[in-house]
Structures are given as structure tokens and as C-alpha cells.
Amino acid sequence: MRSRSGFIKSVWLRFACCFSLTLIVLTVVPTVAQDRISVQVPTELLQRGRENYEQSRFFAAANLWEQAAAAYEKRGDIYHQVQALNYLSLAYQELGEWSSSEEAIASSMTLLESLGKLEGREVLLLAQALNTRGSLELKKGQTEAAEMTWSQAAEIYDRGNDITGAQSARINQARALQTLGQYPQSKSLLEGVSEELASQPDSLLKARSLRMLAIAFQTIDDVRDVEEILEQSLAISRQFNASAETSATLFTLGNIARNRRQDNIALDYYRRAEKMAQDPIAIIQSQLNQLNLLVQMPTVPNVIPLVNEITSKLSKLPPTRPSIYAKINLAESLMKYEAKSLRARKPDPLNFQLQTLELLASAVSQARELQDFVGEAYALNQLGKLYGKSQQWKEAQSLTRRALDIGQSIDAGEITAHAASQLGRILKKEGKIQDSLAAYQTAFTAFQSLRSELVAINRELQYDFQESVEPAYRELLDLLLQPDATPEDLKKAREVIEALQLAELDNFFGNACLKSESVDIDSIDRSTAVIHSIILPDRLEVIISLPNLPLRHYFKKLPQREVKAVLRQLKGSFDLGYNRQQRLHWSEEVYNWLIRPAEADLAKNDIKNLLFVSDGPLRELPLPALYDGKQYLVEKYSSAVSPGLQLFPQELAKEKLKVLIGGLSEARHGFPPLPGVEPEVKAIIDQWEGLVLLNQKFTTSNLLHAIDTQPFPVVHLATHGQFSSNPEETFLLTWDERLSVEDFGLLFESRKFGGLPPIDLLVMSACSTAAGDNRASLGLAGLALRSGARSTLGSLWDVNDESTAVLMKEFYRLLASHDGSMSKAEVFRQAQLVLLQDSQYGHPFFWAPFVLVGNWL
């Protein structure tokens, strides 16, 4: 019986000869003799180039278009020479050959300028050249230039009466605006395109344009618009009996359902897309997405027939980038299936390991045949991953380094990020810690530069945030936070923790809409300490930042599963029926981890407030209820939580106390009544000037009008709601509907981007986090950040109606009566202490669930 590693090595040798031969080709100027034709007819070259490009044979297309451009130059046919150069630039972009692409498009623009005043078809040729240049600029990270270029292209298409070209350019321009973080401008542009399309007669071109528009809208998280637009596209495709277009739209709907974690709905869309698809690769892509969903299910169904069918279809496809990506995708699903089978101790009936190796070896070979460096790098990286799973570290390192070299040589950030993080993992296994640290830092830098693109999960290759991005950040932290960590290591670790928090929120929203900036907390509040925590596989790490002092860190050596078990016990112990001594035991245990090692420093530096930037299940805990053996944390410090100092909103001038209150006391939408809401509202309005929208008056339109027209510094919402790690399950109730996190953001758009000042304090007094969701606090942070409020007060569990009314009455009384010397966090602490000292409400269940998110001042 051969060992697993020996078995893989023997199979690999079967493919080694073709690999060593093609390595030589990479060092010389490549030629594709079979694509040359004896009769140099440039129109034929142009057409054959288009055919190869549409089949994703980009190297062959580039070769043909280069010949066509040269032939047109000899004829003095500037128009067609420019056209060939435009195409050539696009092919080089696909190959990652940025300088060649830039040279081609620059030559094209120079030739157009030589023509003087452009007329007729020449005008449209200029617009096409600008569209191509914009694409290159965006890929090179020159986003502002790309936005301006596409704006020019749209104007020129308009001049040439090419409506579809103008719409395409504006959709591209909107993409650039999204990358720049200018979401309102992007949305406005897309809405303009949407209105134009609505006025056009139905056609297949319109159906395609609608699908492009929907994908662009998805990036700004406007889910209802996306679905509505895709349904329009679907209806038009069906009207024209266009099976391929129908399939493409169904596939896009499947991707949207998948991103929303509606796996069964996604499966149905993919199956319908498969039935309607005409192109073999479209059929395979639909089947691959089905397979990927199936192998991730808790109980994996029998996927062998589907695997066999995909494998058979793939074997009949000619080498193209989509077929290469399909092989990589299938290999990833097979690796996941094999890993699950091993954990379940099930036999591997088809020897998926051998099949995976053959798929990836074939993908590498075909990519080299096509001179497709991008496809080759992805395949090599996946092959390195396979060797790593078999602990063949030397081979894994060699393959991964090759993928990284290609990624860096063609400035492909995504390849660089994934290959560098994989290399870091391999080097760490080999005990090469410093080399591993350097590789992880390369990955981190690449991921940071790709922030706006990380949310666009590459479904062709199965790159997923929690599977491939988040682990890279955590593994870098593991190396930085060693016992002998230097101040620079700690500073870098804090930066990585903040970046991870931001990346998680980007992933939650489905876009990189949050603006971040560095913050010097010492210049804002010298009585606050910042406590960053991170849960690593073998320990809980804490970094504490005290005013004008170097960072320090400490840790609790405990396996991750045991840390999480204690945190689960503590969270459950706040139920009223739980044993008091057990609750205090767990509460003191976590206090010892987070606070005890810093007690002396906190006292010495006269710290009054603690700002927690917490990780994972720590975010689900009411930290003011931690216990030091004698008293609760709330009895010594005020506190707040933040998804990161990068998102810290600066304090603004104090506004006149004025509140907008919305609430439901009656049963609505299947939710029970909240009898404590009316006394809660009365207690607030007795002390504050403001507007009350209660029950029937608490409609979405009334709420929107009030927010849009009056500068309320405080918005108080006493209504049912839920915070969840799934945006689709994060909501607030109004009288007439259930507001999603996207709807919530739209409500406050005028306050974030208009003339009215932002909200100082948003209070959600009757919401809670989703039961059993250990990342539900993302929903609370999500609503807080969507609103643009400087501070948000929300709860971690279903609160008691009567005690909440008492708490809110005291909070608003103190907020209205104090002289400005107390921060919001301190005012809320004082209100919590009133309940703590009340014999009826002294249990943490009543006073502890509320957390202040964001600005505590």
C-alpha cells in the first residue's frame, strides 16, 4: 500500500514533462504558429481574433489582432487599425500584460488624434477606445482616471447616438464611483440608466443591459432594485424565447440568493439555469455552483453522479480560461468533499484525490498552452493547496511560490493575496517563522489594496471571505502576537485587528461602503482605554492602549474551543433562571482574561471609560456585567463598543435637545404588543422637546419625512427588531412594513449626505440579537453604521418591557439635566446603576443587555 504523499508524487510525475517544457516558453516572446494563416487578410484576422476572444483564448486573440493591426497599418487603413488596437488592448488586459495593453491603447488614441475632427463612425471608435482605456485604468488601480475616462466615453457615445454604448459606459463609470466610495453618485448614475432602459422597446440587447445594471446595483446593496431589474430582464428573454439569455439571468439570480445565504433558492435557480443553458460552459458553471452548495451542506447528499457528469463534460471542452477555471472550481469542491468524508470516516469511492490532482495538472498545462498567466497562477496555487493537504511541504511551497511570482509580475492583487497567505501557511508548517511572517504581511497588504473588491466573491474559483480572507488576517495576528512582540509588532497587530473588523463589515454589507480613517484617541479622550481582543487557535490575546503609553498585550493560554465554550456559558448565564454563583463564576473568569492584568494600569492612569474592540463571540457579551469578585465592571467604568477606531466618528458640537420618537405598542406583523412602549415614550417626551410617531403614525413614510425635514439630534425607536449576521434577517418594524438593513440606510441618506447634521444618538430600545447567531452583533453594528449616527444604543437580547421603560426614563432624564461634563457612556452607566440598585431590577438581565456603539463622548 502506497502512502498518500507517495501516491500523489507518482501521479504528478506523469505531468512533469509538459510542465518543464512550457516553463522555457515563458522566458521568450511566445508565438502561436497554428493561428497564422497564409493569406494575410486583415478582416479575417480581426474576425478570428473575435472568435478566440469570445472563447477566452486571449493569447491567440492578441496574436491575431496584432497581425491585423500591422496589416491595416501597411494598407494605411487607420480606422480598422485603431479598431484592432482597441481589441488588442482588451486581450492584453485579460492576460495581465498591462504595459502592452497601455501601449496598444495609446497608439490607438494617437492615431485618432491624427485624423483631426472626427465624424460618423470615427466618433464611436473614439468612444470605444475610451471605454477600453477606462477598463485598463481601473484594473491598474487608477480609479479616478477611469471614472473620468468613462464619463468622456458616455458623452461621446451620446454624440454618436449610440444609446447602448452610453449606457454601458455609465454602468462602468458607476463601478468606478463605487470603488472610490462615492455610493450616492453611483446610485444616481445607475438610476438614470434604469430610467433610460425603461423607456426603450424590449429587445435582447435591453435584457443584457438590464442584467449588467442589476449586477452594478448589487454592489451598492440595493437588493430590491436588483431583483426587480433581473425579473424585467428575465421577462424580456422569455418573450423572445432566448434560452441563453434566460439562463444567464437565472444564474445571476442564483448568485444573489447564494450571497444572501438562501441556499435552497440558489440551488433551484442554478438547476433552472442549467436546463435553459445552450453553451456547454454555461451548463457546467451552473452544475459547479450546485455542487459547491451541496458539498457545504451539513449532511452531504450523493454528489457522485453530478461529479461524473461535470467531469465528462469538461473532458470534451477545448482549452479556454472558463474551462480552466471550471477545473479549479471542481477541484476545490472535491477537496471539500474529501475533507468531509475523512472527518466522517467515510470511504472515497472515486478516489477524489487522484481526480483532483489530474484536474489541476491539466488546468496548469492548458493555461500554459494558452499563455494565460492568470489562469496558470490560480491553478498552481490550488495545486499547492492540494500538496499542502498531503503535507508535501516542499512541493506545496514550490507551486505556491510560482503562483505568487506570476501574481506579482502581472500586478494581479487577488492572486498575490491568496498565494502569499497560502505560502505563509506552508512556511509556518515548515518552521520558517520569519519567512512566514513576511509572506502573511505581503498577503495583508494585497488584501488591503483590494478592499473594494473583496466583497465580490469570485464564484468561478470559490474564494470566500470566511474561508480564504479572514484566516489570513488571523494567521498574521498569531505570528505578530508572540510573547516577545515588539511595540511595532503590537501596533501592526492592532492595525490588522481593525482591518479584520472592517473587512467583516464590508462582507456583511456586501460592499466596501464604510469610510475609514486613522484616529489618535489621546487627542480625543485621555480618560479612555482601548481594549482590542482577538481569539486565536490556542489563546485569547488582548492589546490595551492607554493614553500616552506604549501598547502592551497579555494573553490567556487556552484552546479556542474552550474559550468559546466559556463565552457561551457566560452568555447563557444571564437568563433569569440561571444559578447566580455560576453566573458570577463565568463572569469573573472572563473578567480575569480581559481586565485583571490591566487593573493596576487602569487605576494608575485614572481611566474612566473602556472602549472594547472585540472579536467573535466576545461581541455578543454584555461586558459591563463582568465581575471582579466584589463588583461589576459597570460599577467602576463606563464602557462602549466599537467595530474599530478607523470608523470612530469625531465629536461634534452639542445640539439643542430634541428627539424624534417612533414606536409600536400594539401587536403588529405577527409580533406581540409592547405595553411598556407608551410609558417609555411619555417619560421621554415629558423631558425633551420632540415629535412622537406611535403605532398607526409610525409608518415608514412618516419616519422618512421627519428624518429628512427636521434636524433631530436624537432618534429613539421603541419597536420590535432583530440584529443578525445575515443582513436579510436584520430588521426593524414600522406600522406598515419590516425595514431591512438596506431600507434603514436609505432612511438616513439625507442625514449622511445632505444638508442636515448627522444624528448624534440613535436608540433602539426593543430590538435584540438573533438567537443562536454568534456573529449577530454585526447586525447591530450594521444598522448603526448604516444610519450614520455618531452613537447607537441597542440590546443584545429580548429586553423586559417594564425595566426598559424605567432605564430609558432615567437615561433621558440624566441626559437632559447634566451640565455637559458627562459623556453619553457615563450618563448611560448612571442609568444602569439605578436599575442595578433596584431590588426588582438588580439582575444583569434587566440592565446589562444594552451596549453603546461608536462615539461614547
Side-chain angles (χ1 to χ4, degrees), residues 437 441 475-486 488-490 492-494 496 539 553:
L437 180 59
Q441 287 179 329
E475 288 154 9
L476 173 55
L477 285 166
D478 185 45
L479 293 177
L480 288 168
L481 293 171
Q482 295 297 309
D484 59 349
T486 66
E488 280 304 308
D489 290 336
L490 297 181
K492 183 68 177 181
R494 188 173 68 171
V496 176
R539 65 196 187 279
H553 81 120

Side-chain angles (χ1 to χ4, degrees), residues 4-154:
R4 287 164 59 88
S5 62
F7 175 72
I8 287 188
K9 188 173 287 185
S10 67
V11 175
W12 171 251
L13 289 173
R14 290 159 49 191
F15 299 93
C17 57
C18 65
F19 279 22
S20 59
L21 283 171
T22 50
L23 275 171
I24 300 169
V25 178
L26 301 179
T27 63
V28 298
V29 178
T31 59
V32 184
Q34 65 269 27
D35 280 325
R36 294 190 179 275
I37 55 177
S38 56
V39 181
Q40 296 295 313
V41 181
T43 52
E44 289 184 27
L45 291 167
L46 211 61
Q47 180 57 32
R48 290 190 65 195
R50 286 195 197 100
E51 290 168 2
N52 276 275
Y53 187 88
E54 286 167 6
Q55 294 168 8
S56 302
R57 297 173 64 90
F58 302 117
F59 181 75
N63 184 277
L64 289 160
W65 284 332
E66 197 171 75
Q67 294 177 59
Y72 283 126
E73 183 180 15
K74 284 183 181 178
R75 292 186 176 192
D77 185 345
I78 292 178
Y79 176 86
H80 286 102
Q81 184 186 353
V82 167
Q83 193 176 46
L85 288 167
N86 287 349
Y87 292 159
L88 183 60
S89 178
L90 285 172
Y92 278 133
Q93 286 177 43
E94 293 292 344
L95 293 168
E97 296 281 352
W98 310 125
S99 58
S100 297
S101 176
E102 193 162 10
E103 184 181 335
I105 200 62
S107 298
S108 170
M109 298 297 292
T110 301
L111 286 168
L112 284 167
E113 286 172 14
S114 72
L115 293 175
K117 185 178 179 181
L118 303 180
E119 294 181 0
R121 64 178 188 169
E122 294 166 350
V123 172
L124 294 179
L125 197 58
L126 173 60
Q128 291 163 12
L130 288 168
N131 220 359
T132 300
R133 189 172 76 182
S135 174
L136 175 63
E137 288 166 341
L138 187 70
K139 287 172 180 172
K140 290 179 67 179
Q142 299 165 354
T143 313
E144 290 179 354
E147 190 272 328
M148 291 175 64
T149 298
W150 276 321
S151 177
Q152 284 179 267

Side-chain angles (χ1 to χ4, degrees), residues 507-520:
N507 184 250
F508 171 81
F509 286 128
N511 60 51
C513 62
L514 302 175
K515 293 185 178 180
S516 62
E517 54 187 53
S518 60
V519 173
D520 178 11

Side-chain angles (χ1 to χ4, degrees), residues 540-600:
L540 169 68
E541 282 279 356
V542 180
I543 302 174
I544 186 164
S545 172
L546 294 162
N548 298 319
L549 289 175
L551 295 173
R552 59 166 291 207
H553 81 120
Y554 42 89
F555 62 92
K556 175 65 179 179
K557 191 76 172 174
L558 204 63
Q560 184 182 75
R561 65 180 182 280
E562 294 184 32
V563 171
K564 291 185 174 181
V566 170
L567 298 180
R568 280 195 301 272
Q569 290 278 8
L570 176 56
K571 185 178 180 181
S573 75
F574 292 109
D575 187 87
L576 286 170
Y578 206 90
N579 178 276
R580 180 176 185 274
Q581 290 306 314
Q582 278 295 308
R583 169 170 54 79
L584 293 178
H585 165 75
W586 296 122
S587 184
E588 187 172 1
E589 177 84 351
V590 178
Y591 179 93
N592 291 339
W593 296 350
L594 295 180
I595 309 297
R596 185 83 69 190
E599 274 184 336

